Amino acid sequence: MSLIHPGLLLGIVLAIIPVILHFLLRSKPKKIIFPALALLQRRKIQNSRRLKLRHLWLLLLRILVIVAIVLALARPSLPPANYSFSTYELVMLLTIIIIAMLSYAGLMRYFQQQRVSQQTLNTHRTYLRGGVGLATFLLLLLFVFWPYQRRIFAEISEPLPAVSENIPVTAIFLFDTSLSMDYRQENQSRLDQAKAIADEHLSNLPAQSRVSVLYSSSEDISPYQSDLSAVQSRINALKTSAYSLFLDDRLRTAINRQEEDFKRSQNEQPGSQTQSSNSNQYVREIYLYTDLARSAWRNQPSQLLKQQLEKLKWLGIYIIDVGVTNPQNIGISQIRLSRETITLGNSVALKTEIVSSGITAENTILELFTQNEKGQLIKRDQRPLSTVSSSAEKTENASNVGLNRGAQLEMSLSKISQPVTQGELRITSSDPYLPDDVRYFTIVAEPPPHILIVSPDQNSGRLWSDVLAPEKLVALKKNRYLCKVVSLNEIESVPLDQFAAVYLINVSSLSATSWQQFTEYAEKGGGVCFILGSDGNAPESMIVSFNSEAAQKLLPLELLGSLKFIPPEFLDLENNKQALFSYFQDLGGTGELASMEISRFWRVSPTKQGQVIAQYTDSRHSPAIVEQSLGKGKVVVLTTGIDAKGWSQFLFARWSYLAFADQLTRYLIHTRSNRTNYLAGEVASYQWPTSETPPVSFLLRTPDLKQLPIEVAPGKPLVLIPDTTAVGHYQLINNSNNKTRLATGFSVNASAGESNFQPISIEELNQFMGVDRYSLSRDMEGLKRTIRSERLGVEIFPMLAALLLIFFCLEHFTANYFYAIDQSAEASS
């Protein structure tokens, strides 16, 4: 137990005053002239004993009153523990009191029925009160206070250090700077509320305290500062960020900093031998200011944090909850583009989902904007929103601050003519949370990629060319590809680097030079696809050519022979999760393509690097499509034909055939496409086409109006951009050769989880940090009470004040009651 004012304990000496008054003012025996002397002598003895017992009770109460006054003024405190009665202790307390009262009432009734004199009855009553009171005290001591003190001492893991409110503090202020802290209430964001509490608490710290400021949106570690005004300036400069580290990770960083500083201080004081000795000289604390949003913590708690806190008993953890009890929000959850990279003149579909929490918006409008060549926003479309949740959704979320899934809307951008189109979806609302009211996107439109089709049969090559680039679309300049059909004799003279992908259809053999040419092309990033089909009536020579050493450096399989399916089989595309067939899910599935009969195929054996991405429905599950990554490119082999020469009926699959050809081509050139939309914190990348020479350097324009120079490593066409913490549009400006032009761009959005204000539960916090290992407050007054309790222990002044009132009332009642009895006895005499 520690005392805030220990010098006042000297006032206990004043407890001798009731003793002195007791001897000076005690009643003296009175002489009464009465004939029956024997009866008087007997009553004198009984009265004397009874008065002594009464006076002892009165003396004890008066002593307790003064002791309680002195202790209350000294303001003692106890180590932190649960000092309230447990259920067992409370039940035993009430049971003993009830038994004592019933016993007293029963015995008094028994004595009254014995027809004894009033004097004898008074004497019995006096002794009965003393006996019942003593028995009750012993029973309470045995069955209530003894278990109570054992439980309390078990909860107190360490004795309370001898600290006071004036000891300097080494503290770390850790701020949650995720976007959810931008929620505004009473025209104040949650981060502003946290700053206000931190500033007030900073002004209350003792002199010579040291403070370090950390925040969740950066891994920076600031030094401890004794200049609290500089600390206050650093706190006031904090801003929210779309990218934020997990709070439990940052909390571990803060704990490690405290532990390192603790060891350093211990080494600077050679006289300190133990941790407890040094921990008494400085108060070490960590303050976490957060809205307790669940999205700011890891999904699975790590035991490392809990183990650290169990080991560092001297470190105090204080969580200040600045969250809102019933948040209201409506926003855009995410945005999905049908394609990020398209050919010029084509269209893109944008799908988005509206989420709400505690609010509806029948009159809210979703607007679509794009930037023109001057960077000005032009409205392209708008749609009304409807986010009224069903009764089932409202009932489900009534007891949980979560998200109600609202309307899913789709918009489209047609005839995109700019190489880089950047735009945004925006909702017109007046909700307290603004960051999710807008989502950004970037679309890159490129000229149609050049596709080379090699086939000994010009009809088969032309057929595949018409599938990829129909004449009508070419006339309207909406074709996605530019195809060129060549024969086998022209291969070695064609510069492959000009083409994004190469198809070899019904090719039965190639020279070693051609195999090496296609291998080098794939390693540089090109896509190569073999559609085996016809063997030119020379299957043996085709097997020899495809299984040669030069061919095996390129192919993901070995040929074993051409076979027939009797009866015909089909492609087994049920539950196929490969990326090649993912687009078909949006078109209604692969049912039509999988229903086309396949009569002939090549039996193959995949190599170690080869991966089977589709099979036939025969009993052997023969490979239908085999692929492998080769260098920066991709090689795909289809083991059946695609024309009308009796190998398959794919040609009659209508739209599925067209979609399959398109997706296969996109699958081949996927490694050449650049991603244009990211989440905050992700590493963006850009890869120049192999046909272009990468610039030596370029400028990165960020949404916060910064221009950052980026150097490109010689010989490396890929550049990484890790600084994507700001939400909005980024632009890569090629500034080589003193020319400035837009090379490409991308957009960054915040995670959809930032719109979910569901708080983390106490049970989850206990899993992260341990039960009773942290303190939770919601305002400055609560924080003050918590800190006083943790530093100085549980102050028992209120309990002492209550006891003082009880003792004083008992003393007053007892004195008046005793004297009234004495006066009535004199009057009756």
Side-chain angles (χ1 to χ4, degrees):
M1 181 175 69
S2 62
L3 301 172
I4 298 179
H5 304 297
L8 292 177
L9 287 179
L10 296 176
I12 295 180
V13 179
L14 298 176
I16 198 174
I17 295 177
V19 180
I20 298 174
L21 294 176
H22 171 70
F23 286 105
L24 292 178
L25 302 177
R26 64 179 179 174
S27 301
K28 297 180 180 179
K30 299 180 180 181
K31 295 181 180 181
I32 301 176
I33 301 175
F34 197 79
L37 294 178
L39 180 59
L40 287 177
Q41 292 295 332
R42 197 180 310 116
R43 288 191 175 182
K44 177 182 178 182
I45 296 173
Q46 293 177 352
N47 290 339
S48 177
R49 292 175 180 175
R50 187 155 45 87
L51 287 175
K52 286 182 180 180
L53 186 59
R54 290 179 179 178
H55 290 164
L56 286 176
W57 280 110
L58 188 58
L59 174 64
L60 178 61
L61 288 173
R62 287 172 174 172
I63 293 175
L64 289 176
V65 168
I66 294 182
V67 171
I69 291 175
V70 175
L71 290 178
L73 292 176
R75 296 179 65 185
S77 59
L78 300 175
N82 183 14
Y83 290 98
S84 60
F85 285 113
S86 65
T87 303
Y88 165 79
E89 295 160 354
L90 190 60
V91 170
M92 290 301 299
L93 176 65
L94 295 177
T95 301
I96 293 174
I97 293 176
I98 292 173
I99 291 176
M101 294 176 64
L102 293 177
S103 300
Y104 175 78
L107 290 175
M108 279 300 301
R109 185 173 181 81
Y110 171 77
F111 291 143
Q112 291 174 354
Q113 293 176 353
Q114 297 300 315
R115 296 183 180 180
V116 296
S117 63
Q118 184 64 36
Q119 186 69 22
T120 303
L121 182 61
N122 292 341
T123 302
H124 289 170
R125 182 176 59 189
T126 300
Y127 284 110
L128 180 59
R129 289 173 177 172
V132 171
L134 181 60
T136 302
F137 175 75
L138 293 177
L139 290 175
L140 291 175
L141 191 64
L142 181 62
F143 293 103
V144 178
F145 294 111
W146 176 256
Y148 176 80
Q149 66 88 21
R150 292 190 63 182
R151 178 177 60 83
I152 294 300
F153 277 99
E155 292 181 3
I156 300 175
S157 57
E158 289 187 358
L160 186 69
V163 298
S164 69
E165 294 179 316
N166 298 323
I167 291 183
V169 176
T170 298
I172 293 180
F173 284 29
L174 174 57
F175 289 86
D176 179 4
T177 53
S178 60
L179 272 187
S180 62
M181 294 287 284
D182 261 339
Y183 187 93
R184 305 188 73 84
Q185 187 179 46
E186 298 179 356
N187 201 28
Q188 188 179 46
S189 70
R190 300 302 87 209
L191 182 59
D192 293 336
Q193 176 70 11
K195 290 179 183 179
I197 296 177
D199 288 345
E200 184 176 354
H201 180 55
L202 198 65
S203 62
N204 294 332
L205 290 179
Q208 300 180 355
S209 294
R210 300 183 305 148
V211 178
S212 174
V213 179
L214 304 182
Y215 48 97
S216 63
S217 57
S218 173
E219 295 182 355
D220 294 343
I221 299 178
S222 67
Y224 289 104
Q225 293 180 296
S226 299
D227 184 3
L228 299 186
S229 60
V231 174
Q232 190 172 18
S233 299
R234 182 176 176 82
I235 292 175
N236 293 333
L238 293 178
K239 296 181 179 180
T240 58
S241 173
Y243 171 69
S244 182
L245 300 169
F246 288 114
L247 286 180
D248 42 320
D249 293 342
R250 294 300 287 159
L251 188 57
R252 283 195 59 200
T253 301
I255 294 173
N256 291 335
R257 288 214 62 205
Q258 285 281 21
E259 188 174 13
E260 292 172 1
D261 187 73
F262 176 85
K263 292 179 180 179
R264 182 189 58 79
S265 300
Q266 199 174 30
N267 294 331
E268 291 177 356
Q269 299 179 5
S272 81
Q273 300 295 330
T274 63
Q275 286 188 351
S276 60
S277 63
N278 192 41
S279 64
N280 290 337
Q281 299 179 13
Y282 296 95
V283 178
R284 297 185 177 272
E285 297 166 338
I286 296 177
Y287 299 91
L288 173 58
Y289 299 87
T290 175
D291 60 352
L292 287 183
R294 184 62 184 85
S295 58
W297 302 77
R298 287 189 178 274
N299 292 330
Q300 297 296 330
S302 173
Q303 294 298 316
L304 296 177
L305 176 60
K306 191 174 182 179
Q307 293 171 0
Q308 276 186 302
L309 292 177
E310 288 178 354
K311 182 178 65 174
L312 307 179
K313 300 293 186 180
W314 41 265
L315 181 61
I317 306 294
Y318 301 93
I319 300 178
I320 298 91
D321 178 17
V322 295
V324 180
T325 305
N326 296 311
Q328 296 183 347
N329 177 49
I330 178 172
I332 306 173
S333 174
Q334 55 186 335
I335 181 174
R336 296 186 298 273
L337 305 179
S338 58
R339 293 189 179 111
E340 294 184 347
T341 302
I342 63 170
T343 55
L344 289 170
N346 279 282
S347 303
V348 173
L350 299 90
K351 295 182 179 180
T352 186
E353 182 180 28
I354 307 301
V355 295
S356 63
S357 175
I359 190 175
T360 59
E362 293 82 355
N363 299 322
T364 303
I365 303 298
L366 177 65
E367 299 175 329
L368 172 61
F369 294 88
T370 58
Q371 293 181 357
N372 59 15
E373 296 179 354
K374 297 181 180 180
Q376 300 171 336
L377 286 177
I378 306 299
K379 183 185 289 189
R380 302 290 296 271
D381 196 1
Q382 68 178 28
R383 300 283 181 82
L385 295 184
S386 176
T387 57
V388 182
S389 302
S390 64
S391 58
E393 287 177 330
K394 291 181 179 180
T395 303
E396 181 181 354
N397 292 278
S399 59
N400 188 20
V401 183
L403 288 179
N404 294 333
R405 298 296 174 183
Q408 293 188 356
L409 300 179
E410 181 174 346
M411 295 182 174
S412 63
L413 288 173
S414 59
K415 298 181 180 180
I416 296 179
S417 58
Q418 296 178 197
V420 179
T421 300
Q422 293 185 320
E424 59 189 53
L425 283 175
R426 185 181 298 273
I427 59 174
T428 58
S429 68
S430 58
D431 61 300
Y433 185 64
L434 300 180
D436 63 354
D437 289 352
V438 60
R439 292 283 175 177
Y440 304 92
F441 64 88
T442 295
I443 302 171
V444 174
E446 301 174 343
H450 292 262
I451 307 298
L452 178 64
I453 301 175
V454 181
S455 177
D457 182 5
Q458 290 294 314
N459 291 330
S460 298
R462 289 295 178 186
L463 178 62
W464 193 249
S465 174
D466 290 340
V467 171
L468 294 178
E471 293 183 358
K472 293 183 177 180
L473 293 182
V474 173
L476 296 174
K477 296 183 179 181
K478 292 185 176 181
N479 54 304
R480 295 181 177 176
Y481 309 102
L482 291 176
C483 298
K484 181 178 182 180
V485 181
V486 299
S487 63
L488 289 175
N489 299 329
E490 302 176 82
I491 292 179
E492 296 183 2
S493 62
V494 175
L496 298 181
D497 290 342
Q498 296 180 0
F499 298 92
V502 177
Y503 282 98
L504 293 99
I505 302 175
N506 298 337
V507 174
S508 57
S509 65
L510 290 173
S511 64
T513 303
S514 297
W515 285 115
Q516 183 179 0
Q517 183 181 4
F518 285 116
T519 302
E520 293 175 354
Y521 168 73
E523 289 177 342
K524 292 179 180 179
V528 180
C529 178
F530 286 86
I531 301 177
L532 299 184
S534 176
D535 54 13
N537 297 321
E540 293 81 6
S541 62
M542 182 173 177
I543 293 175
V544 171
S545 178
F546 274 68
N547 293 345
S548 64
E549 182 178 355
Q552 288 301 301
K553 293 180 180 179
L554 173 68
L555 297 175
L557 50 78
E558 293 182 359
L559 292 186
L560 301 180
S562 62
L563 301 176
K564 290 185 178 181
F565 284 127
I566 303 175
E569 298 290 344
F570 309 91
L571 280 179
D572 185 8
L573 300 180
E574 186 177 1
N575 299 323
N576 192 308
K577 304 298 183 182
Q578 296 294 333
L580 175 60
F581 302 100
S582 61
Y583 181 68
F584 285 87
Q585 304 303 322
D586 297 334
L587 300 178
T590 57
E592 186 177 31
L593 186 66
S595 65
M596 296 296 104
E597 294 182 352
I598 299 172
S599 301
R600 297 185 62 185
F601 76 106
W602 279 92
R603 187 181 176 190
V604 299
S605 175
T607 62
K608 293 182 179 179
Q609 292 77 22
Q611 180 183 2
V612 178
I613 60 177
Q615 299 174 335
Y616 297 116
T617 57
D618 62 321
S619 58
R620 294 181 177 179
H621 299 290
S622 301
I625 304 177
V626 186
E627 69 152 355
Q628 76 169 358
S629 296
L630 185 63
K632 298 178 182 179
K634 191 185 295 292
V635 180
V636 178
V637 179
L638 178 62
T639 62
T640 188
I642 47 84
D643 49 23
K645 292 187 176 183
W647 284 73
S648 70
Q649 294 185 351
F650 287 151
L651 187 61
F652 306 102
R654 298 180 301 177
W655 68 267
S656 295
Y657 183 59
L658 301 177
F660 175 70
D662 177 65
Q663 291 304 302
L664 181 58
T665 306
R666 290 185 174 275
Y667 190 70
L668 287 173
I669 64 178
H670 177 72
T671 54
R672 307 288 290 274
S673 300
N674 289 293
R675 185 179 170 189
T676 61
N677 294 278
Y678 297 88
L679 292 179
E682 292 183 333
V683 178
S685 63
Y686 180 74
Q687 181 178 1
W688 279 268
T690 55
S691 58
E692 297 183 10
T693 302
V696 178
S697 64
F698 60 90
L699 289 177
L700 174 65
R701 289 182 180 174
T702 64
D704 48 2
L705 304 180
K706 295 180 181 178
Q707 291 197 141
L708 306 177
I710 304 293
E711 301 294 332
V712 181
K716 292 187 177 181
L718 179 68
V719 63
L720 301 179
I721 306 170
D723 188 14
T724 59
T725 57
V727 172
H729 299 308
Y730 292 74
Q731 294 179 344
L732 295 177
I733 307 300
N734 186 353
N735 62 346
S736 59
N737 298 326
N738 296 323
K739 295 181 180 180
T740 302
R741 63 183 182 86
L742 178 62
T744 187
F746 60 91
S747 299
V748 173
N749 286 295
S751 171
E754 294 291 350
S755 300
N756 191 348
F757 301 100
Q758 178 181 352
I760 188 172
S761 63
I762 299 297
E763 291 74 15
E764 290 177 302
L765 282 178
N766 292 339
Q767 293 178 3
F768 276 101
M769 291 179 281
V771 181
D772 297 332
R773 193 55 192 88
Y774 63 94
S775 300
L776 185 62
S777 305
R778 289 193 58 87
D779 51 28
M780 190 60 205
E781 294 301 322
L783 180 61
K784 287 180 180 179
R785 291 192 299 268
T786 304
I787 293 175
R788 180 181 296 274
S789 174
E790 292 293 330
R791 289 186 192 172
L792 307 177
V794 179
E795 190 173 351
I796 59 175
F797 175 81
M799 183 174 63
L800 287 176
L803 288 177
L804 174 61
L805 180 62
I806 293 173
F807 291 153
F808 182 79
C809 293
L810 286 177
E811 188 276 336
H812 181 73
F813 172 77
T814 305
N816 293 337
Y817 180 68
F818 288 167
Y819 295 148
I821 292 179
D822 292 341
Q823 293 175 1
S824 62
E826 290 181 5
S828 60
S829 300

